[in-house]
């Protein structure tokens, strides 16, 4: 499979628990993005990696959120002490520079988090 | 700062008819790229079409075309010959200048009637 892969697809957790999501980007892509999408809204940017370096973080990314991309390959997004407001779809995307222009971002199918 | 606006929360179209989904944008950077994505109920964002700010021609990809009006800062998506499988959310997005991060609009829900 050459697309962006996200695991798990669905996660139900109790408030206060920690959760971790994984994203495997397209193998040759050096840029990786995390977005959050709530019902009726477009994806909202959370954070961006170029290779293993986390270059940008949105102010939406509170200190309970942390993301890593060791070795510039897969990435993990951890949410500590989950709150009901964290319930959302978490989308991962990747892209690659193609000559003078970046390719479009390719998205995974997302991880739907429900905090009860 | 850049902004994407999609003013149509929902659109309905008859199968085989054409439909236009509106998108306006705002940026002061002369270099930017505009994207349209489709999101079916399964959740995956599917790339449809791309228009660069310096492109002279409107982008086309099969049944999709982008009506790019730079002076009006609009980048409307035209779907010709709608199919039932086109029913989905559609998102307009923009990437500006040296930023690699696409910013998305709120989306338009399209329902295609038989």
């Amino acid at each position: 499979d050459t697309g962006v892969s996200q695991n798990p697809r669905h996660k139900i957790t109790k408030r206060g628990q920690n959760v971790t999501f994984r994203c495997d980007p397209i193998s040759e892509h050096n840029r990786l993005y995390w977005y959050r999408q709530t019902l009726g809204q477009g994806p909202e940017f959370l954070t961006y990696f170029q290779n293993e370096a986390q270059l940008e973080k949105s102010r939406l990314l509170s200190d309970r959120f942390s993301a890593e991309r060791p070795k510039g390959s897969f990435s993990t997004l951890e949410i500590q002490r989950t709150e009901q407001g964290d319930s959302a779809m978490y989308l991962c995307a990747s892209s690659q520079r193609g000559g003078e222009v970046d390719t479009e971002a390719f998205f995974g199918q997302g991880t739907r988090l429900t905090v009860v | 700062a850049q902004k994407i606006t999609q003013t149509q929360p929902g659109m309905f179209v008859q199968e085989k008819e054409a439909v236009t989904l509106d998108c306006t944008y705002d940026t002061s950077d002369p270099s930017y790229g505009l994207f349209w994505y489709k999101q079916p109920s399964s959740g995956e964002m599917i790339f449809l079409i791309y228009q660069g700010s310096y492109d002279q021609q409107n982008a086309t990809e099969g049944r999709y075309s982008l009506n790019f009006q730079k002076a009006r800062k609009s980048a409307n998506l035209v779907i010709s010959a709608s199919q039932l499988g086109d029913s989905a959310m559609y998102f307009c997005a923009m990437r500006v200048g040296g930023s690699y991060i696409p910013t998305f609009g709120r989306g338009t829900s399209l329902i295609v009637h038989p």
Side-chain angles (χ1 to χ4, degrees):
Chain A
D1 185 11
T2 57
V4 177
S5 176
Q6 290 188 248
N7 288 288
R9 293 289 311 281
H10 304 274
K11 179 70 177 180
I12 300 174
T13 190
K14 290 184 178 179
R15 189 175 53 186
Q17 298 293 305
N18 299 345
V19 294
T20 300
F21 310 140
R22 177 179 170 124
C23 172
D24 288 273
I26 293 172
S27 59
E28 63 268 26
H29 284 186
N30 62 345
R31 308 195 206 286
L32 186 145
Y33 315 82
W34 284 99
Y35 286 82
R36 181 174 69 187
Q37 186 178 23
T38 53
L39 200 61
Q41 302 291 323
E44 297 173 296
F45 169 72
L46 291 179
T47 190
Y48 156 66
F49 289 86
Q50 182 166 312
N51 300 312
E52 67 275 10
Q54 187 175 19
L55 297 185
E56 286 201 43
K57 290 194 292 185
S58 162
R59 61 179 181 274
L60 292 175
L61 211 67
S62 76
D63 56 6
R64 296 185 297 105
F65 287 70
S66 62
E68 294 182 341
R69 192 184 182 196
K71 302 178 183 177
S73 55
F74 71 92
S75 176
T76 58
L77 178 68
E78 181 183 16
I79 309 174
Q80 295 182 327
R81 306 181 301 282
T82 51
E83 301 172 356
Q84 287 187 321
D86 297 331
S87 296
M89 175 80 90
Y90 290 83
L91 294 165
C92 176
S94 68
S95 70
Q96 173 72 336
R97 187 167 183 83
E100 294 296 315
V101 179
D102 272 47
T103 67
E104 64 273 19
F106 292 83
F107 282 80
Q109 290 188 297
T111 294
R112 185 172 295 283
L113 173 67
T114 302
V115 181
V116 298
Chain B
Q2 61 266 26
K3 187 178 179 182
I4 290 281
T5 303
Q6 294 181 256
T7 57
Q8 305 156 315
M11 291 286 287
F12 297 86
V13 65
Q14 191 102 25
E15 193 179 8
K16 300 180 185 177
E17 299 290 314
V19 63
T20 298
L21 306 183
D22 294 344
C23 172
T24 58
Y25 60 91
D26 188 24
T27 179
S28 56
D29 197 306
S31 175
Y32 51 89
L34 295 155
F35 304 80
W36 277 91
Y37 285 84
K38 172 185 178 181
Q39 187 179 41
S41 56
S42 60
E44 184 178 1
M45 299 281 284
I46 302 167
F47 167 74
L48 297 177
I49 196 166
Y50 168 81
Q51 179 86 40
S53 59
Y54 296 118
D55 294 343
Q56 297 295 316
Q57 306 270 3
N58 285 347
T60 60
E61 289 287 348
R63 295 186 298 112
Y64 305 107
S65 61
L66 200 152
N67 184 1
F68 182 45
Q69 298 192 37
K70 200 168 183 176
R72 294 185 179 183
K73 293 190 174 181
S74 74
N76 298 340
L77 177 71
V78 181
I79 305 174
S80 63
S82 299
Q83 302 172 357
L84 296 178
D86 293 335
S87 295
M89 287 292 295
Y90 288 80
F91 293 94
C92 181
M94 177 169 64
R95 191 172 60 204
V96 173
S99 172
Y100 304 112
I101 301 166
T103 301
F104 286 81
R106 293 186 64 170
T108 295
S109 173
L110 175 67
I111 296 176
V112 180
H113 289 299

